[in-house]
Amino acid sequence: MVLLHGNDYCDKFSAEIFLKDFWGSLSDLNIFLISNAYVFLNNERLTGHRLLDFGCSPNLLGEIIAPERFTDIVMADLSPSNLDIIRRWMDGQKINFKWDHMLKFAAESCVMQMCQSGLKRKIAHLKTSVKKLVNCDAKKELPLGPDYVEAFDVVFTSFCLGSAAKSVAEYKQFLKNVASLLPSGGHLVMCGALNQMAYIVDNKRFHHLKLSMSDVKDALCNAQFEILEYEFECITLPESEPPEYSVFVLLAIKV
C-alpha cells in the first residue's frame, strides 16, 4: 500500500471517514487527549485571548476544550476539504458527524458541569469565537503566509508536525516555523505520537514520522521552548502502524 504524505491530504484524505473512525467514539486515545489537553489549555499560566489551532484537521478538539476567554480563534490546515467540514458545521449546514459525545465527555470529565443548555451555549460560543479558517503549511518559514504578522497568545497543535515531517531535522524546522507565530512568553499545547510510522484512513496509509520523546524534547529546545508539563500513555489502535504506540500531550512556554 502506497504511503501518502504532504499534498496527498488535499485530494486523498477523507475528512468524514477520519472523523468517523478516529473520533466517532470515545476511545482510550480520545479520553487521554481530551482530559490532558483540557488541563493544559485551562492552565492559569496561559493568558490572552488569541488561539491558533495549527493543523486542525476536520476536528474541533482544541476548540471544545479551550476556555471561553479565547474569543479570537484561528483554525488552520493544509487541506481545504478539512477546513470545508468546519466551515459547513459553523454555517449550520448538515455534515455526517456530530461532536455531541465529545462535548458531553469534556463537560463531565473536566468538571465543566454543563447542562444541556450549557452545551448549546458552548456550541454557540465556538461558532462566534472561531474568527478565521485559513490554509497553513508547516514547511514554510511563514506557515500562515505573510498576512499574519500579529502573534498568537497560545498555539494548539495535534499530531500535525509528526505527519508533516519526513525526518527529525524537518520536524525540528517545522516546529521552529510554528514557534515564529508565538511571542516570548507565549504558550504551546501539543499532542503527538511516539514510535508511530503510519496510520490508515479509508484504506489509505498516511505517513507519520517515527519519533522518540527525546526527539520531541530536542526539537522544542531548538525552537526555544521550555517544557512546563507533559503526560504520555501507551495506546493500542488497529488503524495505526504499529498498532501499539505512545501518545503525549505537553505544555511549553517560548523563552
Side-chain angles (χ1 to χ4, degrees):
M1 194 184 297
V2 177
L3 190 62
L4 303 176
H5 175 259
N7 287 329
D8 291 323
Y9 278 93
C10 296
D11 59 359
K12 296 180 176 66
F13 183 80
S14 173
E16 291 188 347
I17 290 177
F18 169 79
L19 286 173
K20 178 178 69 70
D21 288 352
F22 285 83
W23 289 96
S25 61
L26 284 170
S27 64
D28 290 343
L29 171 62
N30 296 342
I31 290 170
F32 172 81
L33 294 174
I34 292 171
S35 302
N36 288 282
Y38 171 86
V39 171
F40 292 157
L41 275 173
N42 286 266
N43 189 293
E44 61 183 10
R45 286 175 284 199
L46 275 62
T47 58
H49 64 279
R50 299 201 76 222
L51 171 69
L52 170 65
D53 187 347
F54 189 89
C56 59
S57 74
N59 196 4
L60 288 167
L61 170 63
E63 290 63 39
I64 286 172
I65 58 181
E68 292 190 2
R69 63 179 175 77
F70 287 110
T71 55
D72 188 353
I73 299 176
V74 174
M75 299 183 69
D77 199 78
L78 177 69
S79 166
S81 62
N82 284 347
L83 294 176
D84 186 58
I85 290 280
I86 303 296
R87 183 178 292 109
R88 285 160 52 200
W89 177 79
M90 289 181 62
D91 290 343
Q93 298 180 36
K94 185 177 180 180
I95 63 172
N96 294 323
F97 190 81
K98 292 184 178 181
W99 280 277
D100 295 23
H101 59 294
M102 290 172 58
L103 282 160
K104 289 176 181 177
F105 175 76
E108 293 167 0
S109 66
C110 302
V111 200
M112 294 162 70
Q113 300 297 325
M114 286 188 192
C115 58
Q116 191 63 34
S117 61
L119 289 171
K120 290 180 180 178
R121 183 176 61 83
K122 178 68 174 178
I123 292 172
H125 172 76
L126 290 180
K127 292 186 176 184
T128 57
S129 60
V130 176
K131 304 300 185 186
K132 291 182 179 179
L133 304 175
V134 300
N135 289 105
C136 68
D137 190 341
K139 298 191 297 292
K140 295 182 178 179
E141 187 175 348
L142 299 174
L144 296 183
D147 293 338
Y148 279 86
V149 294
E150 186 178 355
F152 293 88
D153 301 305
V154 177
V155 170
F156 174 78
T157 185
S158 182
F159 298 94
C160 167
L161 300 182
S163 298
K166 295 297 287 286
S167 68
V168 172
E170 278 194 348
Y171 185 81
K172 287 183 175 181
Q173 183 58 54
F174 294 174
L175 184 54
K176 197 171 182 179
N177 293 343
V178 173
S180 70
L181 302 167
L182 282 169
S184 177
H187 288 86
L188 171 73
V189 177
M190 182 164 68
C191 309
L194 305 175
N195 300 314
Q196 186 185 40
M197 294 178 288
Y199 65 102
I200 310 295
V201 178
D202 193 24
N203 294 316
K204 299 180 179 72
R205 292 174 69 237
F206 287 86
H207 157 83
H208 191 281
L209 178 64
K210 186 177 181 180
L211 291 163
S212 68
M213 197 64 208
S214 178
D215 293 328
V216 175
K217 290 179 177 179
D218 287 347
L220 287 162
C221 182
N222 180 67
Q224 298 185 315
F225 284 108
E226 175 189 344
I227 298 177
L228 299 176
E229 299 179 56
Y230 73 93
E231 299 287 344
F232 69 92
E233 185 168 298
C234 295
I235 294 292
T236 299
L237 189 69
E239 293 84 359
S240 173
E241 296 180 16
E244 294 183 357
Y245 64 105
S246 296
V247 290
F248 68 87
V249 181
L250 64 82
L251 170 63
I253 185 170
K254 188 175 179 184
V255 296

